[in-house]
């Protein structure tokens, strides 16, 4: 039989803990494929955050540092300042990045820190059981907004990647989704672009990826993909939010 | 030996640089601003990196990232800022990331006052963060010791793969004394556990996450065994304890005051001696206990309502009375008022 698809080298062959139909796994695979293709296994450091993806330090077969909730960009900064030549990326959920970790993310962008944030946005706190996130949609029912997110009381969905893109130190910000082969390919290209920019020491890069949480959305995997495209994407339109001076060096940290 | 005149905070920073520290992450707070300011000037001269973080939380997590690569790294702060660092310190301890954390205490609780005080003993010594962990805590009492202990702290941190805390106060950080600096360190231990640039090693992971409780329990047992070994680093100093009827226990700035108290007590015929813990964790329990047979009473002088005194009581049990003496919030205990309290007990 002809092998049409193989496991990327930098993914460990162990069982993952993600729920059936969850798209975290797709994003992991894309990151792994890009690291493989760029031949960076020995030159990459991943920073795991706290959320459903918090055990991915066991999934990627590269050096990993597991950060406290929200602090991954600060941890990545510490690593990058010692090892400016290595690829340093964080993998963060929307609770991690947009609530508790807002300050660390914004200031990493402000400094033009040469790191890449991979931001998995599913509009909810997955790991802790489906609580409201700053990204939750208006009227969205979660375990802490059981009557639907009331924007008068809890505010509107946060525009985190837009805020990061506003900072001069941010050279590249793109929002993608992982709902079908075309969008998955696009996401992979975005990750590669961000990594390449980082290696050229261009500055801060972020790829926001709309993903699912079928378990806490209360939907089956296919319904969840549909909901992501119809509802989440409506609030968070995909596309390039910033792509400035792609190949010039704006801040070389030695 | 050439002497240089330095502030306590500058001595701490230069001691770190001479120990090979090339990365500093911090956030401004009085009374320790001279530490980051010194690094900001000094580190670029030695090809190092100074970074002013957006908060103490970010700074301690930058330390986690940098320390995980195997680099010698430091942060410093003062009381409210140290409160913010506690989650990070817990992570650093569990993930066994060596680093040096300087805590320059000021008056608290709350925003308190910027004057030097000693109200954060519990926070540093008993573990202000969550979980079972132990960090070595060194308490310099002179500017010379500030440089020396910071210098040695980096070796201790690497030796045990553990954070080491320098616990000083605003008075020590601001005072100037002539000191002799240690030699620049040349040899550094290998760190095969770190995310270093060696491409021939297996991948490494820096983590404090152990989702399987039996595994976490094993880690805690191992960390606890390490703590038992670290207890061998206990250090203390004494002054005129040989014939003492009374002992004053004090660390850091309080110990400087206590020295004057010992001198004056002796002038009026009270045989007072000083025991000065240099390591607050491990605490010199045995050294204090060994004085029990000859001593009528102990005094704990500290610039707090009584934190270190609990360890003095653990050391001697109920065998002798222990009296607390102190001023709070940044008020410095005076020699005469301290002596009066001791005289009242001694003359009974
Ligand atoms: C300081 C701290 N506060 C709270 C938590 C609990 N916590 C763990 S994961 C999480 C939310 C994660 O949500 P998100 O970042 O959206 O990731 P997802 O699980 O959806 O992938 C929270 C609040 C924690 N671990 N640490
Ligand atoms: S809870 Fe949601 S985000 Fe977490 S693994 Fe399950 S489906 Fe994925």
């Amino acid at each position: 039989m002809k092998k049409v698809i193989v496991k990327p080298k930098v993914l460990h062959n162990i069982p993952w803990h993600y729920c059936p139909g969850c798209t975290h796994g797709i994003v992991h695979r894309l990151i792994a494929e890009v690291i493989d293709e760029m031949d960076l296994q020995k030159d990459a450091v991943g920073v795991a955050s706290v959320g459903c993806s918090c055990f991915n330090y066991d999934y990627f077969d590269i050096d990993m540092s597991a950060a406290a909730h929200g602090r991954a960009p600060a941890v990545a900064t510490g690593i990058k300042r010692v090892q400016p030549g290595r690829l340093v990326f964080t993998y963060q959920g929307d609770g991690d990045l947009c609530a508790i970790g807002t300050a660390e993310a914004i200031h990493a962008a402000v400094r033009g820190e040469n790191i890449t944030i991979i931001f998995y946005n599913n509009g909810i706190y997955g790991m802790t059981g489906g609580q409201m996130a700053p990204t939750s949609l208006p009227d969205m029912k979660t375990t802490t907004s059981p009557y639907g997110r009331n924007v008068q009381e809890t505010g509107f969905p946060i525009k985190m990647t837009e805020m990061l893109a506003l900072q001069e130190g941010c050279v590249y910000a793109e929002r993608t989704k992982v709902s079908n082969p075309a969008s998955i390919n696009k996401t992979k290209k975005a990750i590669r672009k961000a990594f390449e920019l980082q290696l050229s020491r261009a500055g801060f890069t972020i790829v926001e990826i709309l993903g699912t949480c079928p378990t806490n959305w209360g939907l089956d995997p296919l319904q969840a993909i549909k909901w992501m495209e119809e509802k989440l994407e409506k609030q968070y339109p995909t596309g390039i939010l910033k792509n400035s001076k792609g190949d010039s060096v704006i801040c070389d940290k030695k | 030996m050439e002497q240089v005149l330095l502030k306590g905070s500058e001595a701490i920073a230069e001691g770190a640089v001479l120990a090979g520290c090339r990365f500093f992450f911090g956030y401004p707070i009085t009374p320790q601003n001279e530490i980051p300011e010194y690094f900001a000037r000094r580190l670029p001269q030695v090809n190092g990196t100074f970074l002013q973080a957006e908060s103490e939380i970010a700074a301690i997590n930058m330390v986690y990232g940098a320390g995980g690569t195997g680099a010698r790294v430091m942060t410093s702060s003062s009381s409210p800022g140290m409160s913010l660092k506690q989650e990070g310190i817990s992570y650093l301890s569990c993930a066994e990331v060596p680093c040096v954390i300087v805590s320059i205490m000021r008056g608290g609780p709350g925003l308190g006052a910027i004057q030097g005080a000693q109200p954060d003993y519990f926070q540093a010594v008993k573990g202000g963060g969550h979980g079972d962990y132990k960090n070595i805590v060194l308490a310099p009492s002179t500017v010379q010791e500030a440089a020396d202990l910071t210098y040695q702290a980096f070796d201790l941190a690497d030796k045990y793969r553990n954070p080491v805390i320098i616990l000083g106060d605003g008075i020590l950080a601001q005072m100037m004394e002539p000191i002799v600096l240690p030699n620049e360190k040349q040899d550094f231990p290998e760190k095969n556990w770190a995310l270093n640039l060696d491409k021939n090693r297996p991948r490494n992971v820096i983590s404090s996450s152990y989702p399987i409780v039996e595994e976490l329990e094993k880690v805690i047992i191992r960390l606890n065994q390490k703590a038992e070994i670290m207890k061998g680093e206990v250090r203390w100093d004494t002054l005129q304890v040989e014939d003492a009827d009374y002992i004053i226990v004090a660390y850091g700035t309080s110990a400087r005051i206590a020295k004057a108290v010992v001198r004056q007590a002796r002038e009026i015929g009270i045989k007072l001696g000083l025991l000065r813990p240099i390591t607050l964790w491990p605490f010199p329990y045995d050294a204090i206990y060994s004085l029990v047979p000859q001593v009528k009473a102990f005094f704990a002088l500290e610039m707090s309502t009584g934190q270190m005194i609990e360890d003095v009581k653990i050391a001697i049990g109920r065998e002798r009375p222990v009296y607390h003496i102190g001023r709070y919030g940044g008020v410095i205990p005076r020699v005469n008022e301290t002596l009066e309290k001791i005289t009242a007990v001694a003359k009974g």
Side-chain angles (χ1 to χ4, degrees):
Chain A
M1 240 188 358
K2 190 179 156 220
K3 261 197 184 162
V4 291
I5 192 159
V6 289
K7 188 185 70 63
K9 223 170 51 197
V10 307
L11 282 185
H12 274 132
N13 204 5
I14 55 168
W16 293 3
H17 69 281
Y18 295 114
C19 305
C22 176
T23 53
H24 265 301
I26 298 178
V27 179
H28 285 28
R29 187 185 168 96
L30 296 179
I31 294 171
E33 285 179 359
V34 173
I35 293 175
D36 271 0
E37 287 163 21
M38 295 174 75
D39 196 19
L40 291 173
Q41 184 168 24
K42 293 280 175 185
D43 291 306
V45 193
V47 182
S49 64
V50 178
C52 278
S53 60
C54 65
F55 304 128
N56 69 13
Y57 56 79
D58 276 340
Y59 304 162
F60 293 111
D61 186 10
I62 55 174
D63 277 355
M64 294 289 296
S65 184
H69 194 25
R71 316 303 169 207
V75 172
T77 297
I79 297 168
K80 191 71 177 188
R81 293 298 177 120
V82 183
Q83 300 174 340
R86 281 179 114 189
L87 178 82
V88 181
F89 69 93
T90 70
Y91 188 106
Q92 300 176 259
D94 43 299
D96 194 271
L97 185 80
C98 312
I100 196 166
T102 313
E104 283 77 6
I106 294 280
H107 286 277
V110 166
R111 290 191 301 268
E113 207 68 52
N114 252 309
I115 60 167
T116 301
I117 291 180
I118 306 292
F119 165 27
Y120 185 89
N121 183 359
N122 56 7
I124 204 160
Y125 283 27
M127 176 168 226
T128 37
Q131 293 84 5
M132 188 184 76
T135 45
S136 295
L137 304 184
D139 301 321
M140 183 169 159
K141 282 193 177 150
T142 70
T143 54
T144 51
S145 58
Y147 307 110
R149 180 176 187 174
N150 176 347
V151 294
Q152 304 303 330
E153 283 175 9
T154 64
F156 293 86
I158 192 169
K159 295 187 166 70
M160 189 67 185
T161 306
E162 284 83 348
M163 282 202 284
L164 294 171
L166 269 181
Q167 312 309 319
E168 275 171 67
C170 172
V171 293
Y172 177 66
E174 178 162 0
R175 183 182 293 121
T176 66
K177 59 181 175 177
V178 281
S179 55
N180 53 39
S183 64
I184 290 171
N185 280 338
K186 220 169 177 183
T187 299
K188 184 174 168 183
K189 281 203 187 98
I191 294 171
R192 176 150 189 152
K193 168 108 185 156
F195 284 0
E196 282 170 350
L197 283 168
Q198 184 191 144
L199 291 184
S200 74
R201 307 196 178 189
F204 177 88
T205 49
I206 175 162
V207 181
E208 172 179 347
I209 300 158
L210 303 182
T212 64
C213 178
T215 301
N216 289 302
W217 292 353
L219 301 172
D220 72 32
L222 286 179
Q223 287 170 331
I225 294 279
K226 200 158 167 253
W227 192 89
M228 185 230 289
E229 292 203 294
E230 282 172 7
K231 299 280 173 34
L232 201 60
E233 191 180 348
K234 191 157 172 236
Q235 175 71 43
Y236 293 109
T238 54
I240 293 177
L241 295 163
K242 187 163 191 184
N243 187 7
S244 69
K245 331 184 184 170
D247 32 20
S248 74
V249 176
I250 64 160
C251 49
D252 193 344
K253 309 259 155 34
K254 53 173 179 161
Chain B
M1 278 288 188
E2 196 202 334
Q3 289 206 323
V4 285
L5 186 65
L6 286 181
K7 272 191 173 188
S9 39
E10 294 169 339
I12 285 171
E14 186 57 32
V17 170
L18 292 171
C21 173
R22 291 294 177 273
F23 298 90
F24 180 91
F25 305 96
Y27 186 82
I29 183 168
T30 311
Q32 61 82 58
N33 288 321
E34 289 81 355
I35 298 176
E37 286 165 5
Y38 189 92
F39 277 113
R41 289 194 302 274
R42 188 75 170 92
L43 282 176
Q45 299 168 355
V46 290
N47 206 19
T49 295
F50 164 84
L51 181 59
Q52 182 168 322
E54 60 271 26
S55 69
E56 290 85 353
I57 299 176
I60 194 74
N61 286 285
M62 289 170 184
V63 167
Y64 180 93
T69 69
R72 287 197 158 183
V73 54
M74 186 170 126
T75 185
S76 66
S77 190
S78 178
S79 308
M82 286 306 301
S83 292
L84 287 181
K85 286 188 194 289
Q86 295 304 319
E87 183 199 27
I89 293 174
S90 167
Y91 274 67
L92 283 156
S93 300
C94 185
E96 298 186 84
V97 178
C99 61
V100 175
I101 300 158
V102 178
S103 168
I104 300 296
M105 296 179 282
R106 67 185 220 181
L111 189 58
I114 60 169
Q115 281 76 10
Q118 296 181 315
D120 305 332
Y121 179 93
F122 283 157
Q123 185 194 55
V125 174
K126 305 295 175 181
H130 57 285
D132 275 332
Y133 68 88
K134 289 282 184 285
N135 292 330
I136 293 175
V137 182
L138 305 170
S141 166
T142 63
V143 176
Q144 179 69 58
E145 218 177 26
D148 292 345
L149 290 181
T150 309
Y151 183 83
Q152 293 159 22
F154 284 90
D155 287 340
L156 289 171
D158 280 347
K159 180 173 174 190
Y160 295 107
R161 262 192 82 176
N162 209 87
V164 175
I165 297 174
I166 305 285
L167 189 66
D169 62 62
I171 300 157
L172 177 75
Q174 303 292 331
M175 83 173 50
M176 289 186 103
E177 285 177 333
I179 68 164
V180 177
L181 285 165
N183 292 329
E184 181 159 9
K185 198 152 185 84
Q186 307 293 350
D187 302 323
F188 300 100
E190 287 210 5
K191 300 183 180 177
N192 57 9
W193 53 265
L195 313 181
N196 58 32
L197 294 175
D198 174 6
K199 293 200 183 187
N200 297 318
R201 60 169 168 79
R203 81 168 191 131
N204 282 323
V205 175
I206 303 295
S207 171
S208 65
S209 162
Y210 296 95
I212 298 164
V213 294
E214 287 77 12
E215 275 181 25
L216 178 58
E217 188 186 41
K218 275 189 208 145
V219 171
I220 294 167
I221 290 169
R222 188 170 55 70
L223 292 178
N224 199 43
Q225 287 165 345
K226 183 172 82 172
E228 284 303 315
I229 301 170
M230 292 196 297
K231 284 183 182 169
E233 300 293 343
V234 65
R235 298 183 205 178
W236 69 93
D237 190 15
T238 57
L239 176 70
Q240 294 193 275
V241 295
E242 294 73 20
D243 64 341
D245 295 329
Y246 298 93
I247 291 287
I248 186 164
V249 184
Y251 70 95
T253 293
S254 291
R256 300 174 71 102
I257 298 161
K259 276 185 188 164
V261 175
V262 167
R263 232 179 290 121
Q264 293 195 13
R266 296 236 163 210
E267 279 166 19
I268 57 169
I270 300 171
K271 286 188 189 162
L272 182 68
L274 165 69
L275 190 141
R276 176 173 74 88
I278 297 172
T279 53
L280 299 178
W281 196 96
F283 194 78
Y285 293 117
D286 293 344
I288 294 176
Y289 185 68
S290 72
L291 297 169
V292 164
Q294 72 184 65
V295 166
K296 294 185 184 131
F298 289 82
F299 300 90
L301 173 67
E302 50 184 328
M303 288 145 68
S304 84
T305 54
Q307 300 189 12
M308 180 200 65
I309 191 173
E310 293 195 3
D311 279 323
V312 178
K313 286 180 177 170
I314 289 172
I316 63 173
R318 295 189 171 205
E319 296 195 27
R320 295 291 182 275
V322 186
Y323 300 95
H324 165 265
I325 308 174
R327 296 296 300 267
Y328 321 124
V331 179
I332 300 169
R334 286 203 304 264
V335 174
N336 60 347
E337 68 190 14
T338 306
L339 187 58
E340 272 166 31
K341 290 191 178 141
I342 291 170
T343 312
V345 171
K347 301 271 153 84

